[in-house]
Amino acid sequence: MKQSVQGSAEAGTPECRGGGGSRVPAQARVADVLDVFRERGGAVPAARGEHTHGERPIPGPRPVVQRSSVRGQILDALRTALVTGELQPGEVYSAPALGERFGVSATPVREAMQQLALEGAVEVVPNRGFRVVERGARELAELAEVRALIEVPVMLRLARTVPGERWAELRPLAEDTVRAAADGCPATYAESDRAFHRALLGLAGNEQLVGIAADLHRRSQWPPVRHGRAYLVADAAEHMALLDALIAGDVDVVRGLVSEHFVGAH
């Protein structure tokens, strides 16, 4: 339930292999995500106004993308790269270079990057491309505070009104986070963490609330904080403890868990 996850600096970035049966696919590295794409077309010329000379090459074999839902696939891959730290804060990436990496034109990459700009993940650098935003501890703390203002009162209200059997239906999602934590993949864990939170808040029946909370949650997951597998396992255990308290209708325990979570999450 904490805000961001990443392999420890001492142990290195953990390999993402899938969540041991989890519903959420492993997404540790962009190259792994894009291995499922199929060859379409050849080299892509640089787009006008963006220059690739001198730009550091992106490691790994060149992946390629299916034409269906190209923008969405690239957006997912770029979001994964933010969580895993492959897209480095402060670095500038051009749409033509990323397009060549993905085996597509610069247009869908630029569109995906523009969406990330709206989400605050990158900023436009005229005639160069997009710079990954360097987000500090203060901004992460502010995101945690805003999430707490939204999620804590909603969870307490739901704890008093939603029957235990409804909460029990969410156990598979909590178990997904446990498997993802054991696997040690930050991107897989981030996705399963968001899915669990979406399901909890979804019981409020307010789509606007769920959408705003999900956007804040995604923003809070990068840049990745250097925590290891033990951090993820402990975080997933909090999901299970919270769900057990909700099923039991123990509002006091729920209050303590959700309030404490946001205090030490950033």
Side-chain angles (χ1 to χ4, degrees):
M1 286 165 47
K2 297 180 177 61
Q3 307 305 307
S4 52
V5 291
Q6 175 70 5
S8 65
E10 294 80 5
T13 303
E15 178 185 1
C16 295
R17 299 181 305 277
S22 171
R23 301 177 183 185
V24 184
Q27 297 178 326
R29 299 182 61 80
V30 172
D32 295 333
V33 176
L34 296 170
D35 280 343
V36 299
F37 299 154
R38 297 292 183 265
E39 181 68 31
R40 293 291 189 278
V44 180
R48 182 179 179 183
E50 294 183 29
H51 308 288
T52 61
H53 54 271
E55 185 171 333
R56 191 176 354 182
I58 302 168
R62 172 181 163 178
V64 286
V65 184
Q66 291 180 347
R67 291 305 177 189
S68 60
S69 304
V70 172
R71 176 184 173 277
Q73 292 177 30
I74 292 175
L75 181 57
D76 287 343
L78 292 173
R79 283 171 170 165
T80 295
L82 287 170
V83 174
T84 60
E86 284 191 79
L87 291 183
Q88 291 289 322
E91 291 287 329
V92 176
Y93 300 90
S94 68
L98 289 171
E100 185 172 358
R101 171 86 174 92
F102 295 156
V104 299
S105 73
T107 299
V109 177
R110 190 176 294 108
E111 291 173 350
M113 279 294 202
Q114 287 169 347
Q115 176 60 38
L116 290 177
L118 292 175
E119 297 175 5
V122 301
E123 57 188 9
V124 177
V125 181
N127 298 323
R128 291 186 62 196
F130 301 86
R131 178 184 289 113
V132 178
V133 172
E134 298 185 75
R135 182 169 286 162
R138 178 174 179 176
E139 186 173 356
L140 290 173
E142 291 173 349
L143 285 168
E145 181 180 7
V146 175
R147 284 193 64 202
L149 290 172
I150 293 175
E151 295 193 34
V152 172
V154 173
M155 288 304 305
L156 292 177
R157 174 169 61 84
L158 294 176
R160 297 186 182 96
T161 58
V162 175
E165 56 267 23
R166 292 292 305 282
W167 295 117
E169 294 172 1
L170 305 185
R171 189 172 293 280
L173 292 175
E175 292 172 346
D176 280 350
T177 69
V178 173
R179 284 190 289 268
D183 191 59
C185 173
T188 301
Y189 187 81
E191 182 62 31
S192 63
D193 186 29
R194 290 196 304 272
F196 179 69
H197 278 267
R198 282 196 303 270
L200 291 177
L201 294 177
L203 293 179
N206 187 326
E207 293 184 6
Q208 298 301 315
L209 167 71
V210 173
I212 292 171
D215 178 65
L216 290 169
H217 196 168
R218 187 185 296 279
R219 288 170 185 250
S220 70
Q221 290 178 322
W222 58 265
V225 175
R226 299 285 174 177
H227 291 298
R229 191 185 306 264
Y231 177 94
L232 304 186
V233 170
D235 194 50
E238 291 183 11
H239 292 163
M240 298 298 293
L242 174 60
L243 194 58
D244 287 342
L246 289 166
I247 292 171
D250 194 332
V251 178
D252 289 336
V253 173
V254 171
R255 180 184 293 107
L257 286 169
V258 295
S259 300
E260 227 176 277
H261 153 57
F262 289 107
V263 172
H266 50 275

PDB file of all heavy atoms in Angstrom, residues 41-71:
ATOM      1  N   GLY A  41       7.097  -2.923 -40.363  1.00  0.00           N
ATOM      2  CA  GLY A  41       7.803  -1.787 -40.942  1.00  0.00           C
ATOM      3  C   GLY A  41       9.287  -1.782 -40.610  1.00  0.00           C
ATOM      4  O   GLY A  41       9.813  -2.629 -39.906  1.00  0.00           O
ATOM      5  N   GLY A  42       9.967  -0.714 -41.121  1.00  0.00           N
ATOM      6  CA  GLY A  42      11.406  -0.619 -40.941  1.00  0.00           C
ATOM      7  C   GLY A  42      11.791   0.571 -40.101  1.00  0.00           C
ATOM      8  O   GLY A  42      11.077   0.968 -39.205  1.00  0.00           O
ATOM      9  N   ALA A  43      12.958   1.140 -40.434  1.00  0.00           N
ATOM     10  CA  ALA A  43      13.474   2.261 -39.664  1.00  0.00           C
ATOM     11  C   ALA A  43      12.559   3.468 -39.797  1.00  0.00           C
ATOM     12  O   ALA A  43      11.900   3.663 -40.809  1.00  0.00           O
ATOM     13  CB  ALA A  43      14.891   2.608 -40.141  1.00  0.00           C
ATOM     14  N   VAL A  44      12.565   4.281 -38.779  1.00  0.00           N
ATOM     15  CA  VAL A  44      11.676   5.434 -38.739  1.00  0.00           C
ATOM     16  C   VAL A  44      12.495   6.707 -38.843  1.00  0.00           C
ATOM     17  O   VAL A  44      13.445   6.898 -38.084  1.00  0.00           O
ATOM     18  CB  VAL A  44      10.891   5.451 -37.406  1.00  0.00           C
ATOM     19  CG1 VAL A  44       9.963   6.647 -37.341  1.00  0.00           C
ATOM     20  CG2 VAL A  44      10.114   4.156 -37.258  1.00  0.00           C
ATOM     21  N   PRO A  45      12.179   7.598 -39.774  1.00  0.00           N
ATOM     22  CA  PRO A  45      12.923   8.843 -39.882  1.00  0.00           C
ATOM     23  C   PRO A  45      12.627   9.753 -38.707  1.00  0.00           C
ATOM     24  O   PRO A  45      11.555   9.692 -38.112  1.00  0.00           O
ATOM     25  CB  PRO A  45      12.393   9.460 -41.195  1.00  0.00           C
ATOM     26  CG  PRO A  45      11.030   8.876 -41.341  1.00  0.00           C
ATOM     27  CD  PRO A  45      11.113   7.489 -40.783  1.00  0.00           C
ATOM     28  N   ALA A  46      13.584  10.590 -38.365  1.00  0.00           N
ATOM     29  CA  ALA A  46      13.379  11.536 -37.270  1.00  0.00           C
ATOM     30  C   ALA A  46      12.299  12.535 -37.625  1.00  0.00           C
ATOM     31  O   ALA A  46      12.185  12.991 -38.752  1.00  0.00           O
ATOM     32  CB  ALA A  46      14.696  12.271 -36.972  1.00  0.00           C
ATOM     33  N   ALA A  47      11.477  12.870 -36.624  1.00  0.00           N
ATOM     34  CA  ALA A  47      10.420  13.855 -36.845  1.00  0.00           C
ATOM     35  C   ALA A  47      11.011  15.252 -36.862  1.00  0.00           C
ATOM     36  O   ALA A  47      12.007  15.532 -36.203  1.00  0.00           O
ATOM     37  CB  ALA A  47       9.371  13.743 -35.733  1.00  0.00           C
ATOM     38  N   ARG A  48      10.388  16.111 -37.607  1.00  0.00           N
ATOM     39  CA  ARG A  48      10.858  17.482 -37.725  1.00  0.00           C
ATOM     40  C   ARG A  48      10.867  18.154 -36.362  1.00  0.00           C
ATOM     41  O   ARG A  48       9.916  18.077 -35.602  1.00  0.00           O
ATOM     42  CB  ARG A  48       9.945  18.252 -38.674  1.00  0.00           C
ATOM     43  CG  ARG A  48      10.375  19.689 -38.903  1.00  0.00           C
ATOM     44  CD  ARG A  48       9.434  20.360 -39.871  1.00  0.00           C
ATOM     45  NE  ARG A  48       9.802  21.731 -40.102  1.00  0.00           N
ATOM     46  CZ  ARG A  48       9.121  22.562 -40.868  1.00  0.00           C
ATOM     47  NH1 ARG A  48       8.037  22.137 -41.497  1.00  0.00           N
ATOM     48  NH2 ARG A  48       9.517  23.809 -41.024  1.00  0.00           N
ATOM     49  N   GLY A  49      11.970  18.838 -36.068  1.00  0.00           N
ATOM     50  CA  GLY A  49      12.056  19.585 -34.827  1.00  0.00           C
ATOM     51  C   GLY A  49      12.650  18.797 -33.675  1.00  0.00           C
ATOM     52  O   GLY A  49      12.919  19.351 -32.634  1.00  0.00           O
ATOM     53  N   GLU A  50      12.883  17.483 -33.837  1.00  0.00           N
ATOM     54  CA  GLU A  50      13.487  16.688 -32.779  1.00  0.00           C
ATOM     55  C   GLU A  50      14.740  16.045 -33.340  1.00  0.00           C
ATOM     56  O   GLU A  50      14.735  15.444 -34.403  1.00  0.00           O
ATOM     57  CB  GLU A  50      12.523  15.619 -32.268  1.00  0.00           C
ATOM     58  CG  GLU A  50      11.306  16.211 -31.582  1.00  0.00           C
ATOM     59  CD  GLU A  50      10.409  15.125 -31.012  1.00  0.00           C
ATOM     60  OE1 GLU A  50      10.930  14.056 -30.651  1.00  0.00           O
ATOM     61  OE2 GLU A  50       9.202  15.353 -30.937  1.00  0.00           O
ATOM     62  N   HIS A  51      15.838  16.145 -32.598  1.00  0.00           N
ATOM     63  CA  HIS A  51      17.128  15.678 -33.083  1.00  0.00           C
ATOM     64  C   HIS A  51      17.605  14.543 -32.207  1.00  0.00           C
ATOM     65  O   HIS A  51      17.536  14.608 -30.985  1.00  0.00           O
ATOM     66  CB  HIS A  51      18.148  16.830 -33.055  1.00  0.00           C
ATOM     67  CG  HIS A  51      17.646  18.058 -33.757  1.00  0.00           C
ATOM     68  ND1 HIS A  51      17.521  18.142 -35.123  1.00  0.00           N
ATOM     69  CD2 HIS A  51      17.191  19.246 -33.269  1.00  0.00           C
ATOM     70  CE1 HIS A  51      17.038  19.348 -35.447  1.00  0.00           C
ATOM     71  NE2 HIS A  51      16.823  20.010 -34.349  1.00  0.00           N
ATOM     72  N   THR A  52      18.129  13.501 -32.841  1.00  0.00           N
ATOM     73  CA  THR A  52      18.566  12.333 -32.087  1.00  0.00           C
ATOM     74  C   THR A  52      20.080  12.238 -31.985  1.00  0.00           C
ATOM     75  O   THR A  52      20.577  11.377 -31.270  1.00  0.00           O
ATOM     76  CB  THR A  52      18.047  11.042 -32.759  1.00  0.00           C
ATOM     77  OG1 THR A  52      18.588  10.962 -34.074  1.00  0.00           O
ATOM     78  CG2 THR A  52      16.536  11.041 -32.826  1.00  0.00           C
ATOM     79  N   HIS A  53      20.828  13.134 -32.678  1.00  0.00           N
ATOM     80  CA  HIS A  53      22.276  13.016 -32.626  1.00  0.00           C
ATOM     81  C   HIS A  53      22.763  13.295 -31.212  1.00  0.00           C
ATOM     82  O   HIS A  53      22.313  14.208 -30.539  1.00  0.00           O
ATOM     83  CB  HIS A  53      22.936  13.982 -33.617  1.00  0.00           C
ATOM     84  CG  HIS A  53      22.513  15.403 -33.462  1.00  0.00           C
ATOM     85  ND1 HIS A  53      21.431  15.942 -34.118  1.00  0.00           N
ATOM     86  CD2 HIS A  53      23.021  16.405 -32.691  1.00  0.00           C
ATOM     87  CE1 HIS A  53      21.295  17.209 -33.790  1.00  0.00           C
ATOM     88  NE2 HIS A  53      22.243  17.512 -32.928  1.00  0.00           N
ATOM     89  N   GLY A  54      23.665  12.470 -30.755  1.00  0.00           N
ATOM     90  CA  GLY A  54      24.223  12.634 -29.420  1.00  0.00           C
ATOM     91  C   GLY A  54      23.374  12.018 -28.320  1.00  0.00           C
ATOM     92  O   GLY A  54      23.787  12.015 -27.162  1.00  0.00           O
ATOM     93  N   GLU A  55      22.209  11.510 -28.667  1.00  0.00           N
ATOM     94  CA  GLU A  55      21.342  10.924 -27.642  1.00  0.00           C
ATOM     95  C   GLU A  55      21.816   9.525 -27.290  1.00  0.00           C
ATOM     96  O   GLU A  55      22.173   8.740 -28.167  1.00  0.00           O
ATOM     97  CB  GLU A  55      19.901  10.865 -28.151  1.00  0.00           C
ATOM     98  CG  GLU A  55      18.918  10.388 -27.095  1.00  0.00           C
ATOM     99  CD  GLU A  55      17.484  10.548 -27.555  1.00  0.00           C
ATOM    100  OE1 GLU A  55      17.239  11.447 -28.390  1.00  0.00           O
ATOM    101  OE2 GLU A  55      16.635   9.784 -27.089  1.00  0.00           O
ATOM    102  N   ARG A  56      21.851   9.219 -25.997  1.00  0.00           N
ATOM    103  CA  ARG A  56      22.304   7.921 -25.554  1.00  0.00           C
ATOM    104  C   ARG A  56      21.391   6.816 -26.073  1.00  0.00           C
ATOM    105  O   ARG A  56      20.186   6.897 -25.943  1.00  0.00           O
ATOM    106  CB  ARG A  56      22.307   7.888 -24.029  1.00  0.00           C
ATOM    107  CG  ARG A  56      23.025   6.669 -23.481  1.00  0.00           C
ATOM    108  CD  ARG A  56      23.134   6.664 -21.982  1.00  0.00           C
ATOM    109  NE  ARG A  56      22.659   7.878 -21.357  1.00  0.00           N
ATOM    110  CZ  ARG A  56      22.714   8.082 -20.048  1.00  0.00           C
ATOM    111  NH1 ARG A  56      23.220   7.160 -19.265  1.00  0.00           N
ATOM    112  NH2 ARG A  56      22.256   9.186 -19.515  1.00  0.00           N
ATOM    113  N   PRO A  57      21.952   5.745 -26.693  1.00  0.00           N
ATOM    114  CA  PRO A  57      21.100   4.668 -27.215  1.00  0.00           C
ATOM    115  C   PRO A  57      20.386   3.931 -26.096  1.00  0.00           C
ATOM    116  O   PRO A  57      20.900   3.818 -24.978  1.00  0.00           O
ATOM    117  CB  PRO A  57      22.097   3.748 -27.936  1.00  0.00           C
ATOM    118  CG  PRO A  57      23.411   4.035 -27.279  1.00  0.00           C
ATOM    119  CD  PRO A  57      23.382   5.497 -26.926  1.00  0.00           C
ATOM    120  N   ILE A  58      19.191   3.438 -26.386  1.00  0.00           N
ATOM    121  CA  ILE A  58      18.409   2.691 -25.420  1.00  0.00           C
ATOM    122  C   ILE A  58      18.823   1.232 -25.497  1.00  0.00           C
ATOM    123  O   ILE A  58      18.831   0.640 -26.570  1.00  0.00           O
ATOM    124  CB  ILE A  58      16.911   2.842 -25.704  1.00  0.00           C
ATOM    125  CG1 ILE A  58      16.539   4.324 -25.658  1.00  0.00           C
ATOM    126  CG2 ILE A  58      16.062   2.056 -24.721  1.00  0.00           C
ATOM    127  CD1 ILE A  58      15.171   4.622 -26.200  1.00  0.00           C
ATOM    128  N   PRO A  59      19.208   0.630 -24.357  1.00  0.00           N
ATOM    129  CA  PRO A  59      19.751  -0.734 -24.407  1.00  0.00           C
ATOM    130  C   PRO A  59      18.701  -1.777 -24.744  1.00  0.00           C
ATOM    131  O   PRO A  59      17.503  -1.552 -24.616  1.00  0.00           O
ATOM    132  CB  PRO A  59      20.273  -0.935 -22.972  1.00  0.00           C
ATOM    133  CG  PRO A  59      19.423  -0.032 -22.143  1.00  0.00           C
ATOM    134  CD  PRO A  59      19.163   1.179 -23.010  1.00  0.00           C
ATOM    135  N   GLY A  60      19.180  -2.948 -25.171  1.00  0.00           N
ATOM    136  CA  GLY A  60      18.294  -4.075 -25.423  1.00  0.00           C
ATOM    137  C   GLY A  60      17.974  -4.242 -26.896  1.00  0.00           C
ATOM    138  O   GLY A  60      18.178  -3.329 -27.701  1.00  0.00           O
ATOM    139  N   PRO A  61      17.452  -5.412 -27.244  1.00  0.00           N
ATOM    140  CA  PRO A  61      17.072  -5.659 -28.638  1.00  0.00           C
ATOM    141  C   PRO A  61      15.925  -4.769 -29.066  1.00  0.00           C
ATOM    142  O   PRO A  61      15.095  -4.365 -28.246  1.00  0.00           O
ATOM    143  CB  PRO A  61      16.643  -7.136 -28.630  1.00  0.00           C
ATOM    144  CG  PRO A  61      16.216  -7.375 -27.223  1.00  0.00           C
ATOM    145  CD  PRO A  61      17.118  -6.544 -26.372  1.00  0.00           C
ATOM    146  N   ARG A  62      15.889  -4.441 -30.343  1.00  0.00           N
ATOM    147  CA  ARG A  62      14.838  -3.558 -30.838  1.00  0.00           C
ATOM    148  C   ARG A  62      13.493  -4.278 -30.825  1.00  0.00           C
ATOM    149  O   ARG A  62      13.315  -5.298 -31.475  1.00  0.00           O
ATOM    150  CB  ARG A  62      15.159  -3.125 -32.265  1.00  0.00           C
ATOM    151  CG  ARG A  62      14.008  -2.366 -32.908  1.00  0.00           C
ATOM    152  CD  ARG A  62      14.353  -1.964 -34.318  1.00  0.00           C
ATOM    153  NE  ARG A  62      13.160  -1.607 -35.048  1.00  0.00           N
ATOM    154  CZ  ARG A  62      13.163  -1.171 -36.301  1.00  0.00           C
ATOM    155  NH1 ARG A  62      14.294  -1.070 -36.940  1.00  0.00           N
ATOM    156  NH2 ARG A  62      12.048  -0.867 -36.918  1.00  0.00           N
ATOM    157  N   PRO A  63      12.529  -3.751 -30.040  1.00  0.00           N
ATOM    158  CA  PRO A  63      11.197  -4.356 -30.038  1.00  0.00           C
ATOM    159  C   PRO A  63      10.333  -3.728 -31.121  1.00  0.00           C
ATOM    160  O   PRO A  63      10.663  -2.682 -31.659  1.00  0.00           O
ATOM    161  CB  PRO A  63      10.648  -3.993 -28.653  1.00  0.00           C
ATOM    162  CG  PRO A  63      11.302  -2.691 -28.363  1.00  0.00           C
ATOM    163  CD  PRO A  63      12.642  -2.690 -29.073  1.00  0.00           C
ATOM    164  N   VAL A  64       9.236  -4.370 -31.447  1.00  0.00           N
ATOM    165  CA  VAL A  64       8.316  -3.843 -32.439  1.00  0.00           C
ATOM    166  C   VAL A  64       6.897  -4.007 -31.950  1.00  0.00           C
ATOM    167  O   VAL A  64       6.613  -4.818 -31.083  1.00  0.00           O
ATOM    168  CB  VAL A  64       8.498  -4.562 -33.787  1.00  0.00           C
ATOM    169  CG1 VAL A  64       9.767  -4.102 -34.473  1.00  0.00           C
ATOM    170  CG2 VAL A  64       8.531  -6.058 -33.595  1.00  0.00           C
ATOM    171  N   VAL A  65       5.999  -3.213 -32.500  1.00  0.00           N
ATOM    172  CA  VAL A  65       4.665  -3.085 -31.945  1.00  0.00           C
ATOM    173  C   VAL A  65       3.601  -3.396 -32.981  1.00  0.00           C
ATOM    174  O   VAL A  65       3.732  -3.022 -34.136  1.00  0.00           O
ATOM    175  CB  VAL A  65       4.459  -1.637 -31.422  1.00  0.00           C
ATOM    176  CG1 VAL A  65       3.115  -1.482 -30.753  1.00  0.00           C
ATOM    177  CG2 VAL A  65       5.574  -1.273 -30.454  1.00  0.00           C
ATOM    178  N   GLN A  66       2.546  -4.067 -32.568  1.00  0.00           N
ATOM    179  CA  GLN A  66       1.409  -4.294 -33.445  1.00  0.00           C
ATOM    180  C   GLN A  66       0.704  -2.972 -33.710  1.00  0.00           C
ATOM    181  O   GLN A  66       0.703  -2.068 -32.882  1.00  0.00           O
ATOM    182  CB  GLN A  66       0.429  -5.270 -32.793  1.00  0.00           C
ATOM    183  CG  GLN A  66       0.970  -6.683 -32.680  1.00  0.00           C
ATOM    184  CD  GLN A  66      -0.029  -7.605 -32.031  1.00  0.00           C
ATOM    185  OE1 GLN A  66      -1.016  -7.137 -31.460  1.00  0.00           O
ATOM    186  NE2 GLN A  66       0.207  -8.888 -32.116  1.00  0.00           N
ATOM    187  N   ARG A  67       0.078  -2.878 -34.875  1.00  0.00           N
ATOM    188  CA  ARG A  67      -0.576  -1.631 -35.231  1.00  0.00           C
ATOM    189  C   ARG A  67      -1.846  -1.378 -34.420  1.00  0.00           C
ATOM    190  O   ARG A  67      -2.271  -0.250 -34.287  1.00  0.00           O
ATOM    191  CB  ARG A  67      -0.919  -1.636 -36.727  1.00  0.00           C
ATOM    192  CG  ARG A  67       0.318  -1.560 -37.626  1.00  0.00           C
ATOM    193  CD  ARG A  67       1.180  -0.367 -37.299  1.00  0.00           C
ATOM    194  NE  ARG A  67       2.390  -0.337 -38.097  1.00  0.00           N
ATOM    195  CZ  ARG A  67       3.386   0.502 -37.882  1.00  0.00           C
ATOM    196  NH1 ARG A  67       3.336   1.348 -36.882  1.00  0.00           N
ATOM    197  NH2 ARG A  67       4.463   0.474 -38.652  1.00  0.00           N
ATOM    198  N   SER A  68      -2.456  -2.435 -33.910  1.00  0.00           N
ATOM    199  CA  SER A  68      -3.667  -2.238 -33.109  1.00  0.00           C
ATOM    200  C   SER A  68      -3.274  -1.733 -31.731  1.00  0.00           C
ATOM    201  O   SER A  68      -2.383  -2.262 -31.080  1.00  0.00           O
ATOM    202  CB  SER A  68      -4.441  -3.562 -32.989  1.00  0.00           C
ATOM    203  OG  SER A  68      -3.646  -4.539 -32.367  1.00  0.00           O
ATOM    204  N   SER A  69      -3.940  -0.675 -31.297  1.00  0.00           N
ATOM    205  CA  SER A  69      -3.705  -0.105 -29.966  1.00  0.00           C
ATOM    206  C   SER A  69      -2.237   0.242 -29.745  1.00  0.00           C
ATOM    207  O   SER A  69      -1.705   0.045 -28.652  1.00  0.00           O
ATOM    208  CB  SER A  69      -4.179  -1.068 -28.877  1.00  0.00           C
ATOM    209  OG  SER A  69      -5.530  -1.401 -29.048  1.00  0.00           O
ATOM    210  N   VAL A  70      -1.570   0.754 -30.782  1.00  0.00           N
ATOM    211  CA  VAL A  70      -0.145   1.064 -30.681  1.00  0.00           C
ATOM    212  C   VAL A  70       0.105   2.074 -29.569  1.00  0.00           C
ATOM    213  O   VAL A  70       0.972   1.883 -28.711  1.00  0.00           O
ATOM    214  CB  VAL A  70       0.392   1.596 -32.024  1.00  0.00           C
ATOM    215  CG1 VAL A  70       1.817   2.094 -31.861  1.00  0.00           C
ATOM    216  CG2 VAL A  70       0.341   0.503 -33.077  1.00  0.00           C
ATOM    217  N   ARG A  71      -0.661   3.154 -29.569  1.00  0.00           N
ATOM    218  CA  ARG A  71      -0.431   4.206 -28.580  1.00  0.00           C
ATOM    219  C   ARG A  71      -0.604   3.665 -27.166  1.00  0.00           C
ATOM    220  O   ARG A  71       0.201   3.958 -26.272  1.00  0.00           O
ATOM    221  CB  ARG A  71      -1.403   5.366 -28.825  1.00  0.00           C
ATOM    222  CG  ARG A  71      -1.313   6.480 -27.789  1.00  0.00           C
ATOM    223  CD  ARG A  71      -2.382   7.539 -28.055  1.00  0.00           C
ATOM    224  NE  ARG A  71      -2.424   8.530 -27.006  1.00  0.00           N
ATOM    225  CZ  ARG A  71      -3.073   8.384 -25.856  1.00  0.00           C
ATOM    226  NH1 ARG A  71      -3.697   7.246 -25.604  1.00  0.00           N
ATOM    227  NH2 ARG A  71      -3.078   9.342 -24.952  1.00  0.00           N
TER     228      ARG A  71
END
